[in-house]
Amino acid sequence: MLNNLDKKIELLRRRFRDIESAVIAFSGGIDSGVLVEVAHQELGDRMVAATALSPSHPSSDRELIINYSNDRSIPQRFIESKEFHDPIFLSNPDDRCYHCKKYLYTGMIELANELNFKYVIEGTNLSDLGGHRPGYRASKEQERVKTPLIECEFTKDDVRALGRHLDLPMAEKPAAACLASRIPTGEGITPEILQRIDSAEDILRAMSIGQVRVRHHKDLARIEVDASEMILCMEKRDEIYAKLIDLGWKYVTLDIVGYRTGGGR
């Protein structure tokens, strides 16, 4: 195992030089942000940052992606998302992410073909491999999809350290999953529900609440935040309640366990 971060960074740069040209799947998070920045430095106009337009993605991420790409003169494209045409995805099975990523990588490969680029790059890191990651299986099914953070043995801490070194605006951005993860497995997904969740989380972030999930349980909205931010939620409970009821829920609750990954499954 590589232990020295400088060695990993040099290996990552060398890996991109070997790759020669690529479409980088850019979600706006720190993992894909690091890959976009290093790829741009090493490949120049032989790379493009590509993002799927989907109701599953927070609207605030699109603004970050556009601003970041413009500020750093990074080639950037949006591609059509097609998972919402798939009844299997809409039924929200346990491997929902597999079906979503399958469409994502198909679209990214089509863009790579259009641009005459060799590969598609995605941002799974070494620390991700122990969790529930059906989406990673979709990347392994496509020979042209590469995972250089895993190949170069980057952990999540390594990625954040490199993000700070590169002065990336998403270096301290909390971990985020797609909005569909807020809906319990087996309960159908609709764009309308996802828009409601997106609006609710924007409301809470505007109150200076950082790590937040609004889990959808039919008539009930279950709010997950870090334990340190529960007092703030209680102080603003009347405002939070009124605004979330306005969005369409009948009940609003604060989860006393707090934020945790996989809390919507």
Side-chain angles (χ1 to χ4, degrees):
M1 294 282 287
L2 293 172
N3 293 317
N4 188 303
L5 180 58
D6 289 337
K7 290 180 181 178
K8 294 182 184 183
I9 294 170
E10 180 51 39
L11 191 62
L12 181 64
R13 293 187 180 280
R14 195 181 315 142
R15 183 72 182 101
F16 272 115
R17 292 194 291 270
D18 292 340
I19 283 171
E20 295 183 354
S21 61
V23 171
I24 317 297
F26 187 25
S27 68
I30 181 59
D31 298 308
S32 59
V34 160
L35 291 172
V36 165
E37 184 67 21
V38 175
H40 188 232
Q41 291 178 7
E42 297 300 328
L43 301 179
D45 62 2
R46 297 295 294 163
M47 62 77 65
V48 65
T51 304
L53 288 173
S54 170
S56 292
H57 302 157
S59 55
S60 58
D61 285 349
R62 289 195 288 275
E63 183 178 353
L64 183 152
I65 287 165
I66 292 169
N67 291 339
Y68 173 79
S69 300
N70 289 341
D71 289 346
R72 302 206 177 202
S73 300
I74 291 172
Q76 192 270 327
R77 294 276 292 270
F78 286 106
I79 65 171
E80 181 186 359
S81 173
K82 297 182 179 179
E83 72 273 16
F84 278 79
H85 301 297
D86 183 350
I88 296 177
F89 171 81
L90 295 176
S91 71
N92 198 11
D94 188 58
D95 64 347
R96 174 196 66 245
C97 291
Y98 168 79
H99 299 281
C100 180
K101 295 292 188 182
K102 180 177 65 174
Y103 287 102
L104 174 68
Y105 297 137
T106 297
M108 297 282 176
I109 289 170
E110 289 173 356
L111 178 59
N113 290 339
E114 175 190 329
L115 298 172
N116 197 29
F117 286 177
K118 287 187 175 182
Y119 298 109
V120 169
I121 305 299
E122 69 98 11
T124 304
N125 65 65
L126 206 60
S127 301
D128 293 331
L129 295 184
H132 180 70
R133 295 276 172 172
Y136 179 61
R137 175 162 55 96
S139 73
K140 301 305 291 180
E141 292 178 353
Q142 296 283 358
E143 290 185 3
R144 290 176 66 188
V145 176
K146 303 299 179 183
T147 53
L149 292 178
I150 292 176
E151 295 169 17
C152 301
E153 298 183 2
F154 273 77
T155 65
K156 191 69 172 186
D157 287 343
D158 293 332
V159 173
R160 288 210 181 274
L162 179 52
R164 295 183 195 106
H165 175 73
L166 295 170
D167 195 28
L168 301 187
M170 66 286 288
E172 306 301 336
K173 183 181 178 186
C178 80
L179 296 172
S181 68
R182 294 9 170 212
I183 303 174
T185 298
E187 185 173 332
I189 298 169
T190 69
E192 293 76 18
I193 292 173
L194 297 181
Q195 176 59 58
R196 194 193 308 178
I197 293 168
D198 192 22
S199 297
E201 293 186 357
D202 277 346
I203 287 167
L204 290 160
R205 280 191 290 266
M207 297 176 182
S208 300
I209 297 170
Q211 184 68 274
V212 59
R213 298 287 186 272
V214 176
R215 308 287 186 185
H216 173 80
H217 300 276
K218 297 182 179 177
D219 288 340
L220 182 144
R222 175 168 59 90
I223 300 170
E224 292 180 7
V225 299
D226 284 337
S228 61
E229 296 181 312
M230 288 185 182
I231 292 175
L232 179 58
C233 285
M234 292 306 296
E235 289 173 350
K236 295 180 176 290
R237 63 185 180 276
D238 290 341
E239 182 181 358
I240 292 170
Y241 174 79
K243 289 185 175 181
L244 267 60
I245 291 296
D246 229 23
L247 289 173
W249 286 286
K250 291 183 179 179
Y251 311 100
V252 179
T253 185
L254 178 63
D255 191 321
I256 62 171
V257 176
Y259 167 76
R260 68 271 195 195
T261 58
R265 290 173 49 216

